[in-house]
Amino acid sequence: MQSKLPNIGTNIFTQMSQLAAQHQAVNLGQGFPDFPVPERLIVALARAMNDGQNQYAMMTGTPRLRQAISDKTERCYGYRPDADTEITVTSGGSEAIFNAVQAVVQAGDEVIVLDPCYDIYQPAVALAGGRSVHVPLDAQTFAPDWQRVRDAITAKTRMIITNTPHNPSGAMLSEADMHELAGIVQQHGLYLLSDEVYEHIVFDGARHESALRYPALRERAFVISSFGKTYHCTGWKVGYAVAPAALSAELRKVHQYNTFCTFHPAQAAFAEMIEQEPQHYETLGEFYQQKRDRFRAQLADTRLRPLPVPGGYFQLVDYSAISDMDDLAFSRWLTCEHGVTGIPLSPFYEAAPDGQRLLRLCFAKSDTTLDAAIERLRRL
Ligand code: GLN
């Protein structure tokens, strides 16, 4: 049989989680919180199930949740998407990304991705019959080089995918970046897929530059968000896409025949959370900043060198003072021999920079988990 995805195996997050379990390692690999979800969410979910909201939801998402998302988007980014025509609730940010790509990428099209990038984009592009064109971010700062992006554009380029705050590096696009990006998508008539699932996890008073703030971007963009990241429930798989009505209509054609609708009782719970407890997302940055700062202070006692983390919940560390192993070998060795699991960076690249010695550690963990990891890392 000829595989449609010949180069795809089990992803690095699953591989490392399995290895961590085998070796009882402290798992700072796969990005998921190990602390509880807000109590209100659990209560509201149980209530929705008891109240009988257990059948198919509306294909596009419940009206109440779409309204809550519209209100929240206006509060956060000064733009009020139409709840009926511009917001689609999906089974996680992942489904929204897949749908957006299938909706607009045609056979033979090219899609620009910025390396290192999350592993979900390229297979979606391949299944649409398109080709991912990888443009590297700066190896130190993970900032885009817009000239290199411009140089990669051809007559076949259909879409560019951005991610801010960025997985794996935590780098964030600046206002100047957004203006550059707007110039590019306008000039070349490209669609933008803006993956903003870490939108509320931003530090040091920085502003998250959502594509929704910029008219020139949002008129060509699918903006993707995830409740899993915001409400500590990555396993619930609920997210959404905001896009202009014409683009949303195309995305919904895919969504309708992909999952049709998203887990109904959770939609009631998220609507209640957004309406009743906006302080949760308003203070999420502070919550994670404390974790980041505490973890970085602890890392100072190890031979790992932490890189700056402007946003998101991943800390990159340079391990070159400890070992010259490549990152796949190092992450296995660290798990098997020292009981701490991180994620190597090379799987996020088409071609990783030579000699890069970086590991991604997730700090969306309880203090107990992080302390246990540091205890082991200090011995390196
Ligand atoms: N988003 C998660 C991460 O970056 C991975 C999710 C998955 O395992 N597919 O760690």
Side-chain angles (χ1 to χ4, degrees), residues 290-339:
Q290 278 179 14
K291 291 207 172 287
R292 179 200 67 168
D293 291 347
R294 184 174 181 279
F295 188 51
R296 287 172 67 86
Q298 291 178 312
L299 283 169
D301 289 340
T302 73
R303 291 200 292 151
L304 297 166
R305 185 178 64 81
L307 274 60
V309 184
Y313 54 42
F314 301 113
Q315 171 69 64
L316 292 187
V317 291
D318 185 314
Y319 61 83
S320 52
I322 297 170
S323 166
D324 196 35
M325 275 182 249
D326 70 42
D327 61 356
L328 292 170
F330 183 79
S331 55
R332 293 212 167 87
W333 173 80
L334 193 63
T335 301
C336 303
E337 303 297 326
H338 293 277

Side-chain angles (χ1 to χ4, degrees), residues 2 48 79 84 196 202 238 243 264 278 325 354 368:
Q2 198 181 351
Y79 172 67
D84 290 328
E196 304 184 9
V202 302
V238 184
H264 193 166
M325 275 182 249
D354 268 351
T368 318

Side-chain angles (χ1 to χ4, degrees), residues 10 15 54 56 59 61 80-81 84 90 102 113 143 162 169 190 214 217 219 253 275 298 307 315 348 367 372:
T10 304
Q15 283 182 40
N54 299 304
Y56 298 124
M59 184 271 277
R80 185 172 188 77
D84 290 328
T90 56
Q102 303 313 313
V113 296
T162 55
S169 74
L190 308 183
Y214 299 88
L217 286 173
E219 67 186 28
K253 292 179 190 174
E275 291 161 4
Q298 291 178 312
L307 274 60
Q315 171 69 64
F348 292 78
D367 288 351

